[in-house]
Amino acid sequence: MLRKTLLATCCAAALISAPAFAAAPKELKSEQGILEVTTIAQGLEHPWALAFLPDQKGMLVTERPGHLRVVSKDGKLSEPISGVPQVWAKGQGGLLDVALSPDFKQDRMVYLSYAEDGGEGGKAGTAVGRGRLSDDLKTLKDFNVIFRQEPKLSVSNHFGSRLVFDRDGYLFITLGENNDRPTAQDLDKLQGKVVRIFPDGKVPDDNPFVGQSGVRPEIWSYGLRNPQGAALNPWTGTLWENEHGPRGGDEVNIIERGKNYGWPLATHGINYSMQPIPEAKGKTAEGTVAPHHVWEKSPGVTGMAFYDADRFTPWQHNAFIGALVSQELIRLQFDGDKVVHEERLLGELNQRIRDVRQGPDGYLYVLTDEENGSLYRLGLK
Ligand SMILES: [Ca+2]
């Protein structure tokens, strides 16, 4: 019965998406000219992340309830890929990020981050695993977990998480503090951290806290709240992260080895109850790194992409960040690393923007966090 429903949903989605792709793009005004928004696919259930496959094979898209699908270049949705782990799909939990191995053409490895059930006690934590994608793109084989947050503390939110490989092939994972604020400062826990591991899960000897007692050796940096966006800066090779503040104080940080990014000791935000964050000493705190860029009013920042393609010259050396609460795509303009200008795009759509990536064709691709979520292609006319 369930399978029947799934198939019906899948086929309905495929039918919806085909004519939509043929429709003329929406034209929206932007500072850099007419922004063309083409609907590539619809019928994705709370899509969270996408990763482009090589050789024009389309892309992998995660749906938070637990499905991984292939979306073909012309917008057809596959049935769910088999072999994906069971996820804890409650609140902000579920299937989250997807990344291909830097050697994907040789090893076919696909990495997934997701919320994992902690068993008794009803709590969950972030886990990361990998499996080998079959040539027919239908199965993830031999999936195995390479990292898990322990202890598991989340009852519904702040899992993070993004997966980023750097130029040397290390895997960085951004992790939420499971809505348990003080843990972001506890070095014996994996909440509110960026960790750095080898692709097989082993811990590199040169991580900053290796060999210290009572400290998790995976930790690369700490003091993060709920980092749902991260990308490797293509011009510097450094890891950039963004995170949700509480009420106010969303941040962009440039992540450096061993550094403390302040949460919950330093924040520009307050509690949703309008009360101050109990642990906060102010907007800054000694020994912590101030945000590289901060929003006093929270847009609800999430997936992030730097633009380094040739196709649209005005976008070069810009970054784009999805915003859930303000329902926009944020464009950041830089002088070096410094943010010098910001523009809000896609507000006309009134949809929560979950992820943005640069395609191999130089267009931007955007996912909306909706029950009937969409995949849009963005270009300049
Ligand atoms: Ca911070």
Side-chain angles (χ1 to χ4, degrees):
M1 184 65 197
L2 179 64
R3 184 167 163 76
K4 248 187 194 165
T5 315
L6 289 176
L7 282 175
T9 311
C10 161
C11 297
L15 286 174
I16 295 165
S17 64
F21 180 62
K26 260 198 189 81
E27 297 193 352
L28 305 177
K29 278 188 188 138
S30 86
E31 291 173 6
Q32 296 165 309
I34 299 291
L35 185 65
E36 288 191 315
V37 183
T38 306
T39 305
I40 301 294
Q42 291 177 312
L44 290 158
E45 192 179 359
H46 293 286
W48 214 92
L50 70 151
F52 288 90
L53 293 163
D55 306 324
Q56 316 263 334
K57 292 276 173 60
M59 67 200 85
L60 297 175
V61 176
T62 57
E63 293 172 296
R64 195 166 47 72
H67 292 150
L68 177 68
R69 294 181 199 272
V70 179
V71 180
S72 71
K73 260 187 74 187
D74 58 358
K76 288 204 180 65
L77 310 186
S78 76
E79 284 189 48
I81 293 172
S82 65
V84 169
Q86 186 75 40
V87 303
W88 193 87
K90 296 178 195 171
Q92 298 167 357
L95 185 56
L96 306 175
D97 207 11
V98 55
L100 301 191
S101 158
D103 301 320
F104 178 79
K105 279 195 172 188
Q106 287 77 48
D107 65 20
R108 306 283 303 173
M109 284 291 187
V110 173
Y111 291 75
L112 298 173
S113 76
Y114 57 101
E116 183 186 55
D117 191 347
E120 282 173 36
K123 293 188 178 176
T126 308
V128 175
R130 62 177 186 173
R132 209 178 293 276
L133 186 63
S134 60
D135 288 336
D136 64 6
L137 312 179
K138 289 182 176 170
T139 312
L140 210 50
K141 293 179 190 162
D142 308 322
F143 189 87
N144 77 298
V145 175
I146 57 165
F147 172 87
R148 43 171 55 106
Q149 254 182 346
E150 296 283 6
K152 291 177 166 42
L153 299 173
S154 180
V155 292
S156 72
N157 44 22
H158 299 193
F159 295 97
S161 61
R162 292 287 171 184
L163 304 170
V164 178
F165 287 95
D166 75 0
R167 290 173 180 169
D168 298 319
Y170 294 105
L171 175 59
F172 290 87
I173 308 167
T174 69
L175 296 159
E177 36 70 304
N178 292 178
N179 205 20
D180 190 334
R181 292 187 305 268
T183 60
Q185 295 291 323
D186 293 344
L187 294 179
D188 62 344
K189 296 190 183 67
L190 295 166
Q191 277 75 14
K193 308 295 186 304
V194 173
V195 300
R196 175 184 182 250
I197 55 176
F198 286 117
D200 63 0
K202 290 202 181 74
V203 178
D205 286 341
D206 59 348
N207 270 6
F209 303 108
V210 165
Q212 296 185 23
S213 70
V215 177
R216 298 296 302 238
E218 300 95 326
I219 296 173
W220 182 255
S221 58
Y222 62 107
L224 307 174
R225 185 172 179 273
N226 189 22
Q228 289 196 329
L232 200 71
N233 180 312
W235 308 292
T236 61
T238 50
L239 177 65
W240 287 45
E241 165 262 14
N242 68 58
E243 63 184 69
H244 299 281
R247 188 183 183 96
D250 287 11
E251 302 181 355
V252 172
N253 295 296
I254 302 175
I255 298 297
E256 292 180 26
R257 182 179 188 276
K259 296 270 174 78
N260 180 356
Y261 290 85
W263 178 255
L265 307 174
T267 177
H268 286 241
I270 56 172
N271 252 325
Y272 294 108
S273 64
M274 305 301 282
Q275 298 300 307
I277 300 296
E279 299 84 2
K281 300 178 194 310
K283 290 186 174 177
T284 57
E286 211 186 323
T288 71
V289 181
H292 182 67
H293 185 68
V294 67
W295 288 272
E296 298 297 336
K297 183 169 188 267
S298 294
V301 292
T302 174
M304 168 176 197
F306 291 96
Y307 190 83
D308 69 343
D310 295 329
R311 187 161 205 137
F312 300 112
T313 313
W315 286 350
Q316 283 167 4
H317 208 83
N318 289 190
F320 294 84
I321 300 177
L324 299 167
V325 177
S326 69
Q327 305 192 330
E328 292 158 325
L329 182 67
I330 298 171
R331 182 178 67 84
L332 297 180
Q333 220 165 290
F334 303 103
D335 179 4
D337 278 347
K338 192 175 183 292
V339 178
V340 291
H341 182 64
E342 179 178 333
E343 182 185 8
R344 304 291 181 99
L345 302 165
L346 301 185
E348 296 89 337
L349 302 180
N350 297 310
Q351 291 176 353
R352 291 159 58 84
I353 307 297
R354 168 58 75 187
D355 201 11
V356 53
R357 307 284 172 124
Q358 175 187 303
D361 53 9
Y363 286 92
L364 286 175
Y365 288 80
V366 163
L367 290 172
T368 65
D369 178 32
E370 303 286 337
E371 204 173 306
N372 177 8
S374 298
L375 170 68
Y376 296 116
R377 192 187 75 186
L378 270 50
L380 291 171
K381 194 171 179 181

